[in-house]
Amino acid sequence: MQRNELSRERSHDSSGTAERASQTALDVDELVVGYPRADEPVIDGQTLAVPEGEVTALIGPNGSGKSTLLKGLSNRLEPDGGRVLLDGRRVDSFDSKELARKLGRLSQQNTAPDSISVEELVERGRYPHQGFFESQTADDEDAVDDAIAMAGVEHLRDRKIGTLSGGQTQLVWIAMALAQDTDVLLLDEPTTFLDPRHQLEVMRVVERLRDESETTVVLVLHDISQAARYADNVVALNEGSIHASGPPEAVVTADLLADVFGIDSEVIETEHGPVVIPLGSIEDPGCGSSGN
């Protein structure tokens, strides 16, 4: 398939069963996902193909369903309808440890005892690869070393978690997810609340994952320009529906930002991808390029 292509054609065998005609890591077919006490589903009948070995960014206003979709992809929420396929197999058919060897997920809220070291936390990422009462193997040690190096936290290796800054802690959690050594990694708002330097470091880790290990990364981002710069594919959600998906230059447009985010903006094409300059709310009669 061509790079940045989210949609794909399907072929059929003699029994009429749909087969994948191109390389996708995750296939979402008519997915319906919600929360037990909610009257309506958050994601209602959405279909999406996530290309293998690429970075896909989910964008959208607060409450649009980005994090809920991510939970559906990782089987953290049981679907009320439809299905999610990982390498052609339903994610809800994997047992938890088997799924964790293929798909990793880092949520918004992560907690660990302040007294454990960075290395000890990263080692926890090896849990899916170990049996009961099994000590670390040479492969585990190599995976931990590689994860710490890729996340750029080697200098923090012996530090206690409680002594780290927010940005440092986030990089360590990402290192733990890397140590899990999965084909697919889901990151829920990994740059939120970080200063620009640590945001850049996180996104560079994402780039290296794609370029050096061909890991499929799906991440939720609030910074639209950041999504346009680093992602191969952008999926814009609004009110639980996929409003648009495709390469950044096709999705990140002034029209889409008006429709999905309710803002008047200017989108400037640069060598690093589209850059968004918000001008104001479209409900505000005093904003906009007209100057009125």
Side-chain angles (χ1 to χ4, degrees):
M1 62 175 266
Q2 292 183 348
R3 191 172 179 82
N4 292 326
E5 182 179 344
L6 276 176
S7 61
R8 80 278 186 228
E9 296 179 356
R10 289 179 177 268
S11 60
H12 292 77
D13 61 20
S14 57
S15 66
T17 302
E19 296 180 334
R20 291 188 302 166
S22 60
Q23 287 298 101
T24 56
L26 289 164
D27 286 282
V28 182
D29 291 319
E30 298 295 329
L31 184 66
V32 180
V33 180
Y35 296 91
R37 297 182 180 179
D39 294 331
E40 300 290 337
V42 178
I43 302 294
D44 194 2
Q46 299 304 296
T47 295
L48 176 69
V50 177
E52 189 176 71
E54 298 185 2
V55 176
T56 297
L58 307 182
I59 64 172
N62 292 339
S64 60
K66 304 182 297 296
S67 295
T68 303
L69 176 58
L70 215 63
K71 290 176 183 177
L73 295 181
S74 60
N75 202 38
R76 296 296 181 95
L77 283 175
E78 184 177 351
D80 296 316
R83 62 182 185 172
V84 177
L85 303 179
L86 172 62
D87 290 336
R89 178 179 166 187
R90 291 182 67 113
V91 294
D92 53 8
S93 71
F94 292 86
D95 65 47
S96 59
K97 214 167 185 181
E98 183 185 16
L99 180 61
R101 289 193 292 268
K102 296 185 69 66
L103 185 149
R105 176 179 177 270
L106 190 62
S107 65
Q108 297 177 35
Q109 303 294 330
N110 304 289
T111 59
D114 288 345
S115 59
I116 72 169
S117 71
V118 166
E119 182 175 8
E120 288 170 330
L121 180 58
V122 177
E123 286 174 352
R124 293 187 177 187
R126 298 302 298 164
Y127 165 76
H129 302 274
Q130 299 170 342
F132 288 111
F133 308 112
E134 185 177 295
S135 59
Q136 270 207 328
T137 66
D139 286 343
D140 293 329
E141 293 174 359
D142 289 343
V144 169
D145 289 343
D146 290 345
I148 288 175
M150 180 171 281
V153 293
E154 180 65 50
H155 62 297
L156 303 174
R157 189 177 192 126
D158 298 323
R159 290 268 300 273
K160 301 298 184 184
I161 293 298
T163 69
L164 304 181
S165 70
Q168 290 172 330
T169 303
Q170 182 70 332
L171 286 169
V172 173
W173 280 107
I174 289 174
M176 189 198 73
L178 299 182
Q180 199 171 325
D181 193 23
T182 58
D183 298 327
V184 179
L185 181 60
L186 311 181
L187 302 173
D188 196 355
E189 300 186 22
T191 61
T192 299
F193 305 125
L194 300 187
D195 61 56
R197 174 187 171 184
H198 284 101
Q199 288 187 35
L200 182 61
E201 290 179 359
V202 167
M203 295 311 299
R204 282 178 174 168
V205 173
V206 170
E207 280 189 312
R208 290 184 64 191
L209 271 175
R210 176 194 61 199
D211 297 339
E212 297 178 15
S213 64
E214 298 184 348
T215 301
T216 302
V217 181
V218 183
L219 73 169
V220 173
L221 291 174
H222 278 296
D223 188 321
I224 304 167
S225 294
Q226 194 175 74
R229 176 178 179 181
Y230 290 101
D232 302 294
N233 316 288
V234 176
V235 179
L237 288 96
N238 192 24
E239 297 182 348
S241 297
I242 296 173
H243 187 90
S245 63
E249 60 271 18
V251 174
V252 181
T253 65
D255 287 343
L256 178 130
L257 296 174
D259 292 341
V260 172
F261 291 90
I263 60 172
D264 184 21
S265 63
E266 184 176 355
V267 178
I268 301 174
E269 295 293 336
T270 74
E271 60 179 320
H272 303 295
V275 173
V276 177
I277 302 176
L279 302 176
S281 169
I282 60 174
E283 289 79 19
D284 180 1
C287 77
S289 57
S290 65
N292 295 326

